Amino acid sequence: MANKHPYRFCFGPWNISEGQDPYGPTTRPVQSFDWKLAQLKKHGFEAMMFHDDDAVPEIDSKPESQIRKEAKELKKRLNGLGIAAEMVAPRLWFAPQTIDGAYTSNDPKCRRYAIERSLRSIDLANILGTDILVLWLAREGSYIRESKDAGRCLDYLVEALDQMLAHDKRIRLAIEPKPNEPMDHAYLPTIGHALAVASLTRDSKRVGCLIESAHAILAGLDPADEIDFAMKFGKLWSLHLNDQNGLKYDQDRPFGNVSLRSAFDQVRVLERTGYGTNGEYVCFDVHPFRTTKPEHWMDHLLNSRRTFLRLVEKVRSFDEKAAQKLAADRDYQALDQMVIDHLLGR
Ligand code: GLO
Ligand code: MG
């Protein structure tokens, strides 16, 4: 276990949410972006993730010059605070034009809107000083199988990715797969799908991925194995650590709070494969519970980071030699228990 670099942490403004869910309104007072940024700074996180309209609110109603002006002002503030922008992501699931999907909508005008908004997000990323555009393909999928042609939708996706790659020679596209929610079935549900599509683009080297623990679990996969797979291709450019209790709605629970062992396995792979050594951040895509009181508003983020760092210690103190010997002897029963005893602190 040679990886001894310090990890750097980040989250997005949406991770200090106000308690709304599809069935009820906010349960905490609505807070401004400035307040959220101040919280991030105060608690020692190094970077913030941005949807395009987190960076420039109501972006669709503003002229280009205004967008650039606001983005430059934000960059200045971030510099002043010593906070980096980890990525920009076009929010392609709110606008009326994306009701039937974004890049894969059946309406060519809507597909055009999605691409143009993505190109503008790349310009924003440039101003904010990040070369990562995250693509969570929220509505690229189907409810009604017969309403879409999956093969043609893949062509649309590749066409959109190609236009983004052509727009800027330095931008890297990190696809964040999720198998369902809001769609019944997504077109790119796993890392394997994302990397396969990368190979169809004009510059596959600049198309990689972002793994979210909960999304892997929703796909019935092991997040640690997904991480190992992506790292093998040198394509894991960002990470959304969190947790998830089984195959239900997306829960975005604190990292390690459902399965500590799975969290240990994820950290173990990150350590073994050297995630972070090229400047990648560890992001927590977690939400406070709806029941959380305002005075505990940051706890889900602080707890996730605390658990992560404690697991780094656990991984570094795990007797890998003994584990390998047990694996070589095929004494998996003892290996299984060795992990549990280590986590329990014996
Ligand atoms: C939802 C996703 C979402 C994205 C974010 C960045 O399930 O995890 O939170 O990560 O919008 O694009
Ligand atoms: Mg996410």
Side-chain angles (χ1 to χ4, degrees):
M1 292 281 164
N3 186 22
K4 295 279 192 255
H5 68 278
Y7 289 95
R8 296 186 303 168
F9 299 99
C10 87
F11 62 84
W14 65 92
N15 297 122
I16 324 183
S17 49
E18 284 91 356
Q20 64 276 30
D21 71 12
Y23 307 99
T26 54
T27 53
R28 290 175 288 274
V30 174
Q31 291 290 3
S32 65
F33 171 79
D34 287 359
W35 183 84
K36 294 181 180 182
L37 183 59
Q39 293 296 312
L40 181 134
K41 172 73 186 167
K42 175 174 154 201
H43 292 286
F45 286 77
E46 283 92 349
M48 187 173 249
M49 311 189 264
F50 288 97
H51 293 124
D52 53 355
D53 57 0
D54 292 323
V56 179
E58 290 159 38
I59 195 164
D60 269 340
S61 66
K62 291 180 178 161
E64 206 58 47
S65 55
Q66 178 70 16
I67 295 173
R68 295 185 75 81
K69 183 166 164 273
E70 287 186 33
K72 282 183 188 159
E73 279 164 13
L74 173 61
K75 174 63 175 157
K76 226 193 214 160
R77 279 169 63 206
L78 293 175
N79 284 349
L81 291 168
I83 300 292
E86 194 255 347
M87 62 80 164
V88 174
R91 199 197 298 264
L92 292 173
W93 49 96
F94 269 27
Q97 293 92 328
T98 58
I99 283 178
D100 188 31
Y103 310 123
T104 61
S105 168
N106 278 337
D107 179 342
K109 284 198 294 305
C110 294
R111 295 201 296 275
R112 192 66 242 153
Y113 164 85
I115 291 176
E116 270 160 18
R117 187 155 171 176
S118 308
L119 302 186
R120 203 169 53 200
S121 293
I122 294 175
D123 299 340
L124 263 184
N126 273 325
I127 296 173
L128 296 183
T130 172
D131 66 346
I132 298 210
L133 189 80
V134 166
L135 299 173
W136 171 44
L137 304 172
R139 300 194 190 278
E140 320 295 3
S142 68
Y143 289 105
I144 310 297
R145 181 72 49 264
E146 299 78 8
S147 69
K148 299 264 163 90
D149 174 331
R152 196 171 59 214
C153 285
L154 272 192
D155 292 340
Y156 289 152
L157 273 176
V158 172
E159 207 177 298
L161 298 173
D162 277 347
Q163 289 197 47
M164 291 176 232
L165 293 167
H167 182 73
D168 186 300
K169 296 221 153 37
R170 284 184 42 250
I171 199 74
R172 292 185 292 156
L173 311 177
I175 297 174
E176 179 181 351
K178 181 177 181 182
N180 60 282
E181 202 199 27
M183 303 313 291
D184 180 23
H185 287 282
Y187 288 134
L188 302 187
T190 70
I191 294 303
H193 288 81
L195 298 189
V197 158
S199 75
L200 297 178
T201 64
R202 60 188 287 152
D203 190 359
S204 63
K205 287 191 305 303
R206 289 191 290 134
V207 184
C209 61
L210 179 170
I211 289 173
E212 173 162 326
S213 324
H215 298 179
I217 296 166
L218 285 170
L221 299 171
D222 187 309
D225 285 353
E226 283 281 88
I227 293 171
D228 234 341
F229 186 89
M231 287 300 286
K232 193 52 78 182
F233 288 81
K235 293 282 195 152
L236 189 58
W237 300 337
S238 185
L239 190 60
H240 286 182
L241 294 182
N242 57 13
D243 215 342
Q244 167 74 28
N245 191 18
L247 306 183
K248 300 177 187 168
Y249 59 97
D250 189 9
Q251 299 181 329
D252 295 330
R253 290 179 66 166
F255 180 57
N257 282 23
V258 176
S259 173
L260 191 59
R261 183 178 186 165
S262 166
F264 170 78
D265 288 331
Q266 290 171 65
V267 176
R268 186 162 171 257
V269 176
L270 295 172
E271 281 276 288
R272 173 158 44 71
T273 56
Y275 179 84
T277 44
N278 297 315
E280 303 89 353
Y281 288 86
V282 172
C283 310
F284 297 112
D285 200 354
V286 292
H287 281 270
F289 301 129
R290 191 157 192 269
T291 44
T292 297
K293 294 176 187 160
E295 58 266 36
H296 302 136
W297 209 326
M298 290 294 289
D299 290 1
H300 60 305
L301 287 156
L302 304 181
N303 290 341
S304 293
R305 183 177 61 186
R306 180 158 166 264
T307 300
F308 180 92
L309 289 170
R310 290 189 72 185
L311 285 172
V312 169
E313 283 169 26
K314 280 285 172 193
V315 167
R316 290 180 184 172
S317 60
F318 187 62
D319 190 343
E320 287 291 344
K321 265 212 186 103
Q324 276 166 33
K325 178 153 190 324
L326 291 174
D329 291 346
R330 221 218 284 148
D331 191 351
Y332 298 158
Q333 183 62 63
L335 179 60
D336 196 29
Q337 195 56 31
M338 180 185 165
V339 175
I340 297 301
D341 286 339
H342 187 64
L343 288 175
L344 286 174
R346 193 188 67 125

